Amino acid sequence: MNIDFQELLQEKEYLDKVTEVESYNYELLFELRNGYQIPLTITFSPLFPAQLPVVHINEKYHNIPDIPHVMSSGLVCFLDKEGVIWSDIPERILDFVFDRVERVLISNSPQMEYHREFSYYFGTLEKTEPVFSVYTPEDEPKEISVLAMGGKPFAFLTDDVESRSLLSKLLNANINSYNLDKAYYIPLDYTYKGKVPQFDRFWSNGEITNIIRDHISDDTLLKIAKFSMNKKRYFYLLRIPLLTGDQAIIGLWYERVNHSLSKKVIPLIDDSIVDDFVVTPLFVFRNDDTTLIERGGGIKKPLNVLLVGCGSVGSDLLFMLARSGIKHFTLIDDDKMEIENSYRHFLGMNKSIERKPKVKLLKEEFENRYPNVQIQAIENEVLDTIENGEIELNDFDLILVAIGDPNIERSLNKLILESSTPAIFTWVEAYGIGGHALVVNNGEKGCYECLIDSELRLYSSFAGKSDVPFIKNMNGCAGSFTPYGSIDSMETALLASRLVLRLLDNDIKGNPLVSWKGSSKVFEESGFLTSDRYNQPKDILNQDDYEYINRSCKVCSNLKDVAY
């Protein structure tokens, strides 16, 4: 798009004295709605209007004001572009840009805006040091640990086996207690309303002492006082409640400069020794569970999940749920990973060469990818595993069944209903014509047995009745398989995963069946017919279905009967 930027700017009544400095860069006066004129520079991108221009306060003619979202360079941060769509008409874009610039320049609550961007401004401090944290902040002060590397703090953590193991896996190093220094975590009790440190303006030692003393209770002060040592350096992790209601996490690193000081001290709150230590602000990169799961929109409550079946659907389901924040799994499967399934299994071809048990390969893969995930791998058939007492169904918060074998699933369904643990069965149909997920044992009637009619067909089935099995084989009976693709297994795993999230959020009544429907083209070209249920609209099939429930089911008929 060929744009005359000079003319574009001069057409705006709120802009005056537009002067081209160089290509794409202009000086001008911007009149705010209060009548005040402020000198700005605006620099357009060659990709305008796909990219917005950059706006600075022109420091040749105006001091850089100390207000939120205006950097020391004069840069006006007028927009967080994430998720924002602007017009593709240049004239409207300018109106949009200068409206946002004006909002920054005449903000009515500058302190609130500073607090809203606390972490950003804290990160602009000139002498800050970055530090990693796998410690999950709590509501009480606590002695924790810090790993120092190269003479500098590297990571805050709890000195326990789980935290050391997590950090060891992340760093590919052996972290032991003797590698760690003591640190102290302090959540301030009262909201901080003061200035936000930025650029070359950090709190002095005395200011820090006053902030801590003014924002903690006497009880917290007593707990901090117990953390006194005679050391050359001290480490603190602070949680600061802000005006916005958010909590900022920062670190402080005190180093002694008065080496003649011999007494046990608390540099954070002892104002008599403020000149005996130099303090370095630590910018904390939070990698604790709470932060990572919240950012990923995942599951926050601790859960112990049993996953039965680790084939294509089961492995995709494990992947989705591990990424959702579930950290404790028990996997049961008696199959080895074969190369013929590598294109539709999460583990892929390189793992299939080893011909190892699927459960062991998945354990290795997921504990490597997500060091805080713990997996128990059981290489056995599920009914035998339950029979020999290796697992107890009541020990789990949720059971997921992805074996795709109706005969095993019928028996497992009975055992699940004898327990107190809810479960979800999930399976994909041949040729990718669809997939299903069924909740059972969530109170009330409805179970896997209800799906099976007098002709031993599944209510859920999208495949019509056929005397020919829906399988293919390439090398005789040994090479028989149910044809479907990786996208079909992922779609089914996604269906089941969303059902898991709903179940955990108490957003499911009873025991519904949900389905997704794919194309029947290849299925029908192979000589098969679809069922009447397949002909239902996709949006209907994806809704909770209770019509399958058999009120006289021999397995669940004794359960509560509720009308939907």
Side-chain angles (χ1 to χ4, degrees):
M1 182 182 295
N2 188 16
I3 299 174
D4 185 335
F5 292 110
Q6 177 98 19
E7 180 180 346
L8 180 65
L9 292 166
Q10 289 175 334
E11 288 177 349
K12 298 300 178 182
E13 293 182 356
Y14 49 77
L15 301 180
D16 193 16
K17 296 184 179 180
V18 177
T19 304
E20 183 177 14
V21 179
E22 58 186 13
S23 181
Y24 296 110
N25 180 252
Y26 298 84
E27 292 182 344
L28 50 84
L29 288 177
F30 173 38
E31 184 175 341
L32 305 177
R33 59 176 174 263
N34 59 12
Y36 184 78
Q37 287 190 325
I38 186 165
L40 303 176
T41 65
I42 185 168
T43 305
F44 291 92
S45 164
L47 300 179
F48 181 88
Q51 289 186 352
L52 295 179
V54 176
V55 178
H56 286 78
I57 293 174
N58 194 336
E59 60 182 340
K60 291 191 299 182
Y61 308 110
H62 197 287
N63 292 329
I64 305 302
D66 182 13
I67 58 176
H69 309 296
V70 176
M71 305 298 100
S72 59
S73 64
L75 174 66
V76 181
C77 298
F78 59 86
L79 180 68
D80 183 349
K81 295 185 292 185
E82 186 74 23
V84 177
I85 301 175
W86 52 82
S87 171
D88 59 355
I89 301 173
E91 293 78 8
R92 293 184 181 177
I93 294 177
L94 275 192
D95 291 337
F96 172 76
V97 167
F98 282 100
D99 174 68
R100 294 300 181 113
V101 169
E102 185 177 52
R103 294 187 195 185
V104 171
L105 297 179
I106 58 175
S107 171
N108 291 324
S109 54
Q111 196 72 333
M112 178 71 77
E113 289 302 311
Y114 274 128
H115 278 233
R116 197 182 311 280
E117 301 293 340
F118 186 100
S119 293
Y120 171 80
Y121 284 112
F122 192 85
T124 66
L125 288 169
E126 293 178 352
K127 296 182 179 180
T128 188
E129 290 285 345
V131 67
F132 187 71
S133 178
V134 295
Y135 173 72
T136 300
E138 301 175 7
D139 293 331
E140 295 293 327
K142 182 178 182 179
E143 184 177 308
I144 58 174
S145 298
V146 63
L147 172 67
M149 299 177 68
K152 296 181 178 181
F154 178 80
F156 287 104
L157 68 155
T158 306
D159 187 9
D160 56 27
V161 174
E162 184 176 351
S163 297
R164 293 197 304 271
S165 175
L166 171 60
L167 203 56
S168 296
K169 291 177 181 178
L170 290 172
L171 299 177
N172 195 25
N174 188 23
I175 307 298
N176 295 303
S177 292
Y178 59 78
N179 301 127
L180 305 175
D181 280 311
K182 292 183 181 297
Y184 205 71
Y185 164 71
I186 305 168
L188 301 191
D189 297 304
Y190 312 120
T191 300
Y192 174 67
K193 301 178 181 179
K195 291 186 177 181
V196 175
Q198 55 187 294
F199 306 116
D200 60 348
R201 302 189 296 276
F202 185 48
W203 300 312
S204 68
N205 290 23
E207 286 175 323
I208 294 173
T209 297
N210 290 334
I211 289 170
I212 298 300
R213 285 185 169 275
D214 291 343
H215 292 84
I216 58 174
S217 64
D218 292 340
D219 183 56
T220 300
L221 184 61
L222 288 174
K223 291 177 180 178
I224 296 173
K226 293 180 181 179
F227 183 70
S228 61
M229 298 171 288
N230 182 15
K231 297 188 66 175
K232 293 181 179 179
R233 57 186 186 179
Y234 294 76
F235 303 100
Y236 297 98
L237 186 66
L238 306 182
R239 187 179 75 178
I240 304 175
L242 303 174
L243 287 170
T244 58
D246 296 322
Q247 310 266 6
I249 303 291
I250 67 168
L252 298 174
W253 168 23
Y254 283 82
E255 289 183 287
R256 180 180 296 179
V257 291
N258 178 7
H259 298 290
S260 63
L261 188 68
S262 60
K263 63 178 181 178
K264 290 185 177 182
V265 296
I266 313 168
L268 189 69
I269 57 174
D270 191 344
D271 53 14
S272 68
I273 57 168
V274 293
D275 296 327
D276 297 317
F277 288 84
V278 61
V279 62
T280 301
L282 303 176
F283 185 88
V284 179
F285 290 92
R286 293 183 60 185
N287 288 269
D288 56 90
D289 269 353
T290 300
T291 302
L292 295 178
I293 292 172
E294 182 176 350
R295 183 176 177 85
I299 299 166
K300 298 179 182 179
K301 63 177 72 173
L303 294 169
N304 187 18
V305 174
L306 171 63
L307 174 59
V308 181
C310 296
S312 53
V313 175
S315 63
D316 285 333
L317 185 55
L318 176 62
F319 175 65
M320 292 176 186
L321 295 180
R323 292 181 69 188
S324 296
I326 298 177
K327 296 191 292 295
H328 297 280
F329 294 91
T330 296
L331 310 182
I332 299 179
D333 195 301
D334 60 353
D335 280 348
K336 289 182 168 55
M337 183 65 193
E338 304 287 355
I339 193 167
E340 52 263 31
N341 287 325
S342 58
Y343 273 101
R344 65 184 191 186
H345 196 281
F346 175 82
L347 290 170
M349 187 175 291
N350 61 326
K351 296 292 184 180
S352 64
I353 294 294
E354 304 175 39
R355 293 198 76 251
K356 290 183 178 179
K358 292 176 182 176
V359 290
K360 293 183 178 180
L361 290 172
L362 286 169
K363 174 181 170 65
E364 292 172 4
E365 180 70 20
F366 279 85
E367 290 186 344
N368 182 53
R369 282 185 179 227
Y370 306 102
N372 54 355
V373 168
Q374 298 176 3
I375 293 179
Q376 179 186 6
I378 300 176
E379 184 192 359
N380 196 7
E381 192 277 325
V382 62
L383 297 179
D384 184 53
T385 302
I386 296 171
E387 178 67 25
N388 65 29
E390 193 167 354
I391 63 166
E392 169 55 57
L393 297 184
N394 284 320
D395 291 341
F396 299 95
D397 300 299
L398 180 64
I399 300 168
L400 304 171
V401 183
I403 54 180
D405 184 332
N407 298 297
I408 300 294
E409 288 169 332
R410 291 178 77 180
S411 298
L412 185 55
N413 174 69
K414 295 176 183 177
L415 294 172
I416 289 171
L417 264 65
E418 292 173 1
S419 77
S420 60
T421 307
I424 295 177
F425 289 81
T426 186
W427 63 100
V428 62
E429 292 207 39
Y431 294 87
I433 59 172
H436 314 277
L438 172 71
V439 179
V440 304
N441 211 28
N442 187 38
E444 309 166 9
K445 289 186 178 181
C447 70
Y448 190 86
E449 188 69 28
C450 290
L451 292 174
I452 302 170
D453 64 20
S454 59
E455 297 182 351
L456 300 181
R457 286 178 42 77
L458 291 175
Y459 164 92
S460 57
S461 181
F462 289 154
K465 187 174 182 179
S466 174
D467 295 328
V468 180
F470 308 115
I471 61 172
K472 285 186 176 181
N473 66 73
M474 294 182 175
N475 298 302
C477 293
S480 296
F481 65 97
T482 301
Y484 59 85
S486 62
I487 293 177
D488 305 318
S489 64
M490 286 190 285
E491 187 77 33
T492 304
L494 180 61
L495 181 80
S497 296
R498 292 195 183 281
L499 209 55
V500 168
L501 296 180
R502 287 181 57 202
L503 186 65
L504 297 177
D505 200 33
N506 296 316
D507 188 34
I508 291 180
K509 296 180 179 179
N511 302 296
L513 167 73
V514 292
S515 305
W516 70 270
K517 181 171 74 172
S519 171
S520 63
K521 184 174 183 293
V522 178
F523 182 76
E524 291 174 336
E525 288 175 350
S526 300
F528 299 113
L529 299 175
T530 58
S531 67
D532 290 340
R533 188 167 187 266
Y534 178 84
N535 295 325
Q536 294 183 27
K538 290 183 178 181
D539 60 333
I540 297 297
L541 292 168
N542 198 236
Q543 295 177 11
D544 293 352
D545 182 354
Y546 300 94
E547 294 298 318
Y548 78 93
I549 297 175
N550 180 359
R551 307 296 171 187
S552 58
C553 172
K554 61 184 180 182
V555 176
C556 70
S557 58
N558 62 321
L559 298 175
K560 182 180 178 182
D561 193 4
V562 176
Y564 296 99

